[in-house]
Structures are given as structure tokens and as C-alpha cells.
């Protein structure tokens, strides 16, 4: 798969489906793979659109060291041949889905920055 060249520097992004485990309502979207993110993160608007129910409130520290309390939600995430069910994700005020290590640590991810390509395998 190819990196998204619209960002500088380019970033690996993947097409995925996010679904409400209870209603099966789903949304297709594109999100970057972020090996620095502990959790997968959804935009609050997407949480609202899917009608997700809060699971718990947790303390979050952002990349600038600022602490806040944010709600988590459970979703199903699908991409390529992978299916991740009842994944606890964060919702924050942003515009894109970010795939974090909670998902990435379950796959074999090869980033080839020189060729601006990446591969995801089932280990």
C-alpha cells in the first residue's frame, strides 16, 4: 500500500470501516497509522454519527503534555482482511481517525519509508 503524499512528510494511511457493535451501523473512512498513539482515536462527530455509548472516562495526556479526561467507546474496526471487535477507542475533538498501537500491535506492519509504501500482515 502507498503512503499518503498529501502530508509532509508523507504518512501511511489505510481505508477502514468503523462499526457500532450494538447496532452494526458503520462508516467507511481513511486514517493514518500512528505508532506513537497508545489508543485508536475517533473524531467526536463520528462517535455521535454512530450513536456510540460511553464506556468509561480516562485520563489522557496529549503530545504537548496537556492532561484531560476523555470518554472511551467500544467499536468494531475492519480493514483489509482484519477484524477487531469491541476495541476500546478514545473520542477527541479532531477530524480524522487515528489507528494506534492498540490495533497495530496485533499485526505485522512493515513501513518502507524510502519507497513510501507499507504492508500489513497477520503475524
Amino acid at each position: 500500500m502507498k503512503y499518503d503524499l498529501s502530508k509532509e512528510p508523507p504518512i501511511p494511511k489505510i481505508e477502514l470501516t468503523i462499526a457500532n457493535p450494538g447496532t452494526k451501523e458503520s462508516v467507511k473512512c481513511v486514517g493514518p497509522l500512528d505508532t506513537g498513539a497508545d489508543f485508536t482515536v475517533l473524531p467526536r462527530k463520528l462517535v455521535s454519527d454512530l450513536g456510540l455509548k460511553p464506556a468509561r472516562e480516562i485520563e489522557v495526556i496529549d503530545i504537548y503534555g496537556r492532561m484531560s479526561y476523555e470518554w472511551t467507546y467500544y467499536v468494531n474496526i475492519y480493514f483489509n482482511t482484519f477484524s477487531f471487535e469491541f476495541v476500546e477507542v478514545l473520542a477527541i475533538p479532531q477530524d480524522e481517525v487515528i489507528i494506534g498501537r492498540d490495533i497495530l500491535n496485533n499485526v505485522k506492519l512493515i513501513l518502507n519509508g524510502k519507497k513510501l509504501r507499507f504492508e500489513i500482515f497477520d503475524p
Side-chain angles (χ1 to χ4, degrees):
M1 292 176 262
K2 295 180 183 179
Y3 277 43
D4 177 358
L5 302 178
S6 69
K7 297 268 191 178
E8 187 53 46
I11 188 167
K13 284 189 174 183
I14 193 162
E15 292 181 18
L16 62 148
T17 300
I18 308 287
N20 180 325
T23 66
K24 306 301 182 205
E25 173 115 14
S26 66
V27 174
K28 292 185 187 250
C29 52
V30 175
L33 307 179
D34 187 345
T35 60
D38 295 339
F39 276 93
T40 294
V41 178
L42 304 183
R44 286 186 182 151
K45 181 179 181 337
L46 181 59
V47 167
S48 176
D49 292 347
L50 289 173
L52 299 173
K53 304 285 185 230
R56 66 184 175 121
E57 192 174 35
I58 64 170
E59 183 178 284
V60 175
I61 300 174
D62 70 13
I63 61 171
Y64 304 106
R66 297 178 300 219
M67 193 270 300
S68 65
Y69 289 91
E70 304 294 344
W71 287 99
T72 66
Y73 301 82
Y74 286 101
V75 297
N76 294 343
I77 299 175
Y78 309 101
F79 59 88
N80 294 3
T81 60
F82 299 101
S83 174
F84 300 94
E85 297 191 348
F86 296 101
V87 177
E88 187 177 22
V89 298
L90 283 172
I92 63 173
Q94 66 177 32
D95 293 330
E96 71 180 347
V97 173
I98 296 173
I99 306 301
R101 288 192 317 275
D102 55 337
I103 296 292
L104 298 176
N105 284 348
N106 293 291
V107 299
K108 181 177 180 181
L109 173 64
I110 298 175
L111 301 175
N112 186 338
K114 285 187 173 187
K115 292 189 177 182
L116 299 175
R117 297 190 62 77
F118 67 98
E119 296 177 70
I120 300 175
F121 302 95
D122 191 356

